[in-house]
Amino acid sequence: MKAFSLIAAAAAVALAACSPAKQQAASGKGTPLRFATDWRAEAEHGGFYEALAEGLYAKRGLDVRLVQGGPGVNVPQLLAAGAVDLGDGSNSFIVMNLAREHAPVKAVAAFMQKDPQVLIAHPDQGINSIADLKGHPILLSDASVSAFWVWLKAKYGFSDSQVRKYTFNSAPFLADKRVAEEGYLTSEPYTIEKQSGLKPKVFLLADEGYPGYAAMALARDDLIARNPAAVKAFVEASAKGWRDYLYGDPKPADALIMKDNPEMTEDVLAQARDKMRSYGLVDGGDAKTLGIGAMTDARWKQFFDVASSQGIYPKTMDYRAAYTLQFVGR
């Protein structure tokens, strides 16, 4: 097994990043669990915040603390080193990478059946599908180049020569009509339109066959072995939190989100919920029949087959070590 280390600074980040929302957790009673999110508080974490705000974790005997993510927080590293008990897995590559490195971590639920990853293009360039972006410059982060870009190259014949550095700033996109950029369905398309008045073309990769999950709950193997009841309770409470956030009263969660992330606004949260509902990000796919948080062997195999066919993972790798289905499904 490859050794994992965590420098003292990273541990300090984990402690410093414990969000103010932890004050809303149970009053020191119940099983303590630290859950690290993958970015600053936003609607994409709404179900977890709703479960905390409604007391759904506390009702199931858990004392949950949300450790807010951000540019200085590496969730897989924190998990592998034991600095947190559970974490938010942004995409399926993160989970599979952990399995490849034999990290003591597994996905225990997927709270987004569709990865909200999109490509965004200008509306007046004759781009009506992802295939039309062949040859166009595309702004991509380093993480995306080793993730969904692999799928795009395999499916559409895109070339690495198209890649331009994305720094999470849409100014280069707005300055050049030929340029496309990556983004989240629930975020960048809205902020681009709000800031510039431009209504961009938006292509959701999941609706074109991209098989990855998102918003996954990742748990350490020792927690799964030592206290499976706590893991199950966390998954169940989070699933109800997600349903309540999308179809009930989201105000309790939104209040905590904006407390943790003062830059967040109600209009951004509202449009993100609308997108999650209309596109079935959370309760579409297998979640329709198996419940929110569902995962399946077939879906994970589909993802692994795509990634391994492009040489990202050895075809002999035990990809099933990346997840467990014991906590999901009706």
Side-chain angles (χ1 to χ4, degrees):
M1 177 180 294
K2 184 176 179 179
F4 278 82
S5 63
L6 185 68
I7 59 175
V13 166
L15 294 175
C18 284
S19 70
K22 72 183 181 181
Q23 303 301 327
Q24 302 293 327
S27 57
K29 298 180 180 179
T31 301
L33 293 176
R34 298 155 297 174
F35 178 81
T37 63
D38 59 352
W39 196 247
R40 298 186 183 97
E42 55 189 357
E44 290 84 346
H45 309 136
F48 307 119
Y49 276 91
E50 187 76 21
L52 189 64
E54 288 186 17
L56 299 177
Y57 295 128
K59 290 176 183 176
R60 289 166 173 78
L62 304 178
D63 182 5
V64 172
R65 292 186 178 186
L66 296 184
V67 179
Q68 185 178 204
V73 179
N74 185 317
V75 173
Q77 186 184 44
L78 294 178
L79 277 165
V84 295
D85 307 293
L86 300 117
D88 188 357
S90 305
N91 60 65
S92 293
F93 281 100
I94 287 175
V95 179
M96 208 60 67
N97 291 346
L98 286 165
R100 179 183 59 192
E101 301 301 327
H102 304 290
V105 178
K106 285 182 175 59
V108 296
F111 293 106
M112 286 190 185
Q113 295 296 301
K114 294 181 180 181
D115 190 318
Q117 196 73 59
V118 296
L119 290 180
I120 304 167
H122 285 260
D124 53 358
Q125 296 297 298
I127 298 171
N128 299 306
S129 68
I130 292 178
D132 293 335
L133 287 169
K134 188 173 183 179
H136 284 258
I138 303 178
L139 297 165
L140 298 171
S141 67
D142 292 341
S144 297
V145 169
S146 58
F148 68 82
W149 180 244
V150 174
W151 175 80
L152 287 168
K153 289 196 296 183
K155 182 164 183 173
Y156 297 103
F158 290 177
S159 166
D160 286 337
S161 64
Q162 295 178 243
V163 175
R164 303 291 186 272
K165 180 77 170 181
Y166 180 52
T167 59
F168 301 94
N169 182 343
S170 293
F173 166 78
L174 293 171
D176 187 342
K177 289 187 175 183
R178 276 185 47 80
V179 170
E181 75 169 34
E182 69 165 279
Y184 255 30
L185 175 71
T186 46
S187 180
E188 283 81 0
Y190 177 75
T191 56
I192 287 172
E193 185 174 359
K194 182 179 179 181
Q195 293 169 6
S196 69
L198 175 74
K199 188 174 180 62
K201 290 285 188 74
V202 180
F203 305 101
L204 181 63
L205 304 192
D207 283 350
E208 302 299 325
Y210 182 58
Y213 290 119
M216 285 165 283
L218 312 181
R220 288 183 49 81
D221 287 350
D222 57 358
L223 175 63
I224 294 172
R226 183 181 73 253
N227 198 343
V231 177
K232 183 175 179 60
F234 180 86
V235 170
E236 290 178 347
S238 298
K240 184 164 192 316
W242 273 108
R243 181 163 295 283
D244 290 353
Y245 186 63
L246 293 180
Y247 299 104
D249 179 8
K251 291 179 182 177
D254 285 352
L256 289 185
I257 289 171
M258 289 186 287
K259 182 178 180 181
D260 273 5
N261 181 6
E263 296 180 1
M264 185 53 60
T265 58
E266 290 183 2
D267 62 312
V268 172
L269 293 169
Q271 66 82 33
R273 281 194 303 276
D274 288 343
K275 297 276 183 57
M276 286 189 272
R277 284 192 296 261
S278 61
Y279 282 83
L281 297 190
V282 173
D283 57 350
D286 292 316
K288 289 180 180 178
T289 55
L290 299 177
I292 291 175
M295 300 187 299
T296 66
D297 285 317
R299 179 79 173 275
W300 276 111
K301 183 179 187 304
Q302 181 187 10
F303 177 84
F304 177 75
D305 287 347
V306 169
S308 62
S309 70
Q310 298 303 307
I312 303 301
Y313 307 110
K315 292 186 177 180
T316 56
M317 188 181 108
D318 180 16
Y319 69 90
R320 292 182 179 86
Y323 64 94
T324 176
L325 303 181
Q326 73 186 88
F327 303 107
V328 295
R330 297 195 190 284

